Amino acid sequence: MPVNVLAPGDLVRDGNDMPGHLARRFQQIAVAVFLTEVGDAGYDLTPVQYAALVAIKSNPSIDQVRLAGLIAYDRSTITGVIDRLVQKDLVARSSSSRDRRARELTITEEGERTLRGITPAVEAAQRIMLRGLTDEEGAELMRILRKAIAAGNELSRAPLRNTALDQRRQG
Amino acid sequence: MPVNVLAPGDLVRDGNDMPGHLARRFQQIAVAVFLTEVGDAGYDLTPVQYAALVAIKSNPSIDQVRLAGLIAYDRSTITGVIDRLVQKDLVARSSSSRDRRARELTITEEGERTLRGITPAVEAAQRIMLRGLTDEEGAELMRILRKAIAAGNELSRAPLRNTALDQRRQG
DNA sequence: TACTGATATTCAGTATACTGAGCAATATTA
DNA sequence: TAATATTGCTCAGTATACTGAATATCAGTA
């Protein structure tokens, strides 16, 4: 049972002090901060779209399944994300010649420009969502989150998969 | 492998090693673990529905806006959450006599039974999402998350609001 | 080659989240 | 009291996430 010190008259019991609830709340704030900073900078891009764009830039001609693995997205979710990036002309999608099931993704010139321009806002957002923490606390938060995520990676439908070191073919 | 030490200006170096991405990923795992544990225990309840049910039990006859504030939900999202709890007969919703705009929420007998029965699974889920961490790391993660969330509370559309200490009338 | 299994993508359905707008009721104030 | 502001709730539209299933294609084997 969590030791929960609350102000007198506080109606909130322990429902708000569980890891799962804190995770949800921090994520909620992180998304809001990202959208505010990026929007104020004149860009219309969600955190998910941004992460996808970065990964596509770093991995030209990647297919959707491998992209999903790189950033831990669900395979059925990524379709819509790519749809929106293509619609904004930030990403080009074409059928692969080697495997006609696959769709190859490439960043466009406009996508490159967007990534360059948006970087300061993204950096600002990361700082703002850690505001209130000391530098040590921010680093410790990230360290512990990385560790918890590594331990729980396989527990979600969309685990992180390192394409380059993908072991499926070697068993 | 990701760099372990991040300088303040290094937050965008790796798309997967930013606070926002770690937040999203941890939340993703937390939800998956919750649904698995609760589902295996024979219950059909989401993390959000569970938190709402706990808050309604602790605050009988609460209205939807105040409930939303207690658990940091968006007021336009909570309508659907309550719809589902009412449909499952875990919560009763009725119009308030004091304020005909408001809807009073009360937990049902079935809701009480569900809360009692589901508790072990919820506790197991919280432990599982922290697996891989030492007890000290788990406690430190929660402490830092609480601090970051407190500092960023007003940055999302659905901030936490303590109904009992609500200052709006006195401000 | 025919069969079987795996893979890449998409889709329908469900459940958060948020934006912005609207309606109804209450509270405030000129 | 009349006008105005605020509040409680809902809805339409958009964007993640996930489940489960369908479709098309590819790979390996009998």
Side-chain angles (χ1 to χ4, degrees):
Chain A
M1 190 172 305
V3 182
N4 198 8
V5 182
L6 294 170
D10 197 330
L11 294 177
V12 180
R13 304 286 206 289
D14 45 47
N16 277 343
D17 205 32
M18 293 189 287
H21 190 274
L22 297 176
R24 172 186 159 281
R25 186 78 188 102
F26 185 57
Q27 150 76 353
Q28 196 175 32
I29 292 169
V31 171
V33 168
F34 185 100
L35 292 176
T36 297
E37 292 303 308
V38 163
D40 287 356
Y43 293 93
D44 172 31
L45 214 61
T46 66
V48 158
Q49 290 165 13
Y50 170 78
L53 194 55
V54 169
I56 293 170
K57 174 182 162 67
S58 299
N59 300 273
S61 295
I62 193 172
D63 64 87
Q64 294 186 187
V65 164
R66 253 145 292 274
L67 171 63
L70 279 182
I71 48 188
Y73 289 6
D74 192 275
R75 291 154 187 70
S76 75
T77 300
I78 208 154
T79 300
V81 175
I82 301 301
D83 281 349
R84 278 158 228 127
L85 287 174
V86 168
Q87 192 175 11
K88 291 174 190 170
D89 199 30
L90 304 178
V91 163
R93 172 166 47 186
S94 62
S95 289
S96 168
S97 51
R98 298 184 313 281
D99 185 341
R100 276 183 300 172
R101 293 168 302 181
R103 316 286 228 106
E104 290 182 351
L105 306 173
T106 315
I107 192 168
T108 63
E109 272 300 322
E110 174 80 12
E112 301 255 20
R113 262 197 304 280
T114 295
L115 270 191
R116 279 194 299 274
I118 211 177
T119 299
V122 173
E123 287 175 339
Q126 307 307 309
R127 280 193 301 274
I128 291 171
M129 67 184 72
L130 295 183
R131 81 180 189 180
L133 302 183
T134 66
D135 288 351
E136 290 73 25
E137 285 172 333
E140 183 70 353
L141 174 61
M142 292 181 65
R143 182 188 74 78
I144 299 178
L145 280 178
R146 270 185 230 113
K147 192 175 175 185
I149 291 165
N153 188 51
E154 300 302 325
L155 300 179
S156 77
R157 172 162 146 166
L160 196 72
R161 299 250 180 256
N162 188 326
T163 301
L165 301 180
D166 197 348
Q167 299 294 310
R168 280 171 299 174
R169 298 295 161 76
Q170 290 108 67
Chain B
M1 296 300 279
V3 186
N4 273 335
V5 180
L6 273 178
D10 260 358
L11 292 175
V12 180
R13 179 183 285 279
D14 180 349
N16 277 344
D17 205 31
M18 292 189 286
H21 190 273
L22 297 175
R24 171 185 160 281
R25 187 79 188 101
F26 185 58
Q27 149 76 353
Q28 196 175 33
I29 292 169
V31 171
V33 168
F34 185 101
L35 292 177
T36 297
E37 292 302 308
V38 163
D40 287 355
Y43 292 93
D44 173 31
L45 214 60
T46 67
V48 158
Q49 289 164 14
Y50 170 77
L53 195 55
V54 168
I56 292 170
K57 174 183 163 67
S58 299
N59 301 274
S61 296
I62 194 172
D63 65 87
Q64 293 186 189
V65 166
R66 253 146 292 273
L67 171 63
L70 280 181
I71 47 188
Y73 288 6
D74 192 275
R75 41 197 177 301
S76 76
T77 301
I78 208 155
T79 300
V81 176
I82 301 300
D83 282 350
R84 278 158 229 130
L85 288 174
V86 168
Q87 192 175 13
K88 291 173 189 170
D89 199 31
L90 304 179
V91 162
R93 173 166 47 187
S94 62
S95 288
S96 168
S97 51
R98 299 184 312 281
D99 185 339
R100 276 183 300 172
R101 292 168 304 181
R103 316 286 226 106
E104 289 182 351
L105 306 173
T106 315
I107 192 169
T108 63
E109 271 302 320
E110 174 81 12
E112 301 255 20
R113 263 196 304 278
T114 296
L115 271 191
R116 279 195 300 274
I118 211 177
T119 299
V122 172
E123 287 174 342
Q126 307 306 309
R127 280 192 302 273
I128 292 171
M129 67 184 73
L130 296 183
R131 81 180 190 182
L133 302 183
T134 66
D135 288 352
E136 290 73 24
E137 285 171 333
E140 184 69 353
L141 173 61
M142 291 182 66
R143 182 188 74 78
I144 299 178
L145 280 179
R146 268 185 231 112
K147 192 176 175 186
I149 290 164
N153 188 51
E154 300 302 325
L155 300 179
S156 76
R157 169 162 146 166
L160 196 71
R161 299 251 181 253
N162 187 320
T163 301
L165 302 180
D166 196 348
Q167 299 294 309
R168 278 172 300 174
R169 299 296 161 75
Q170 293 113 69

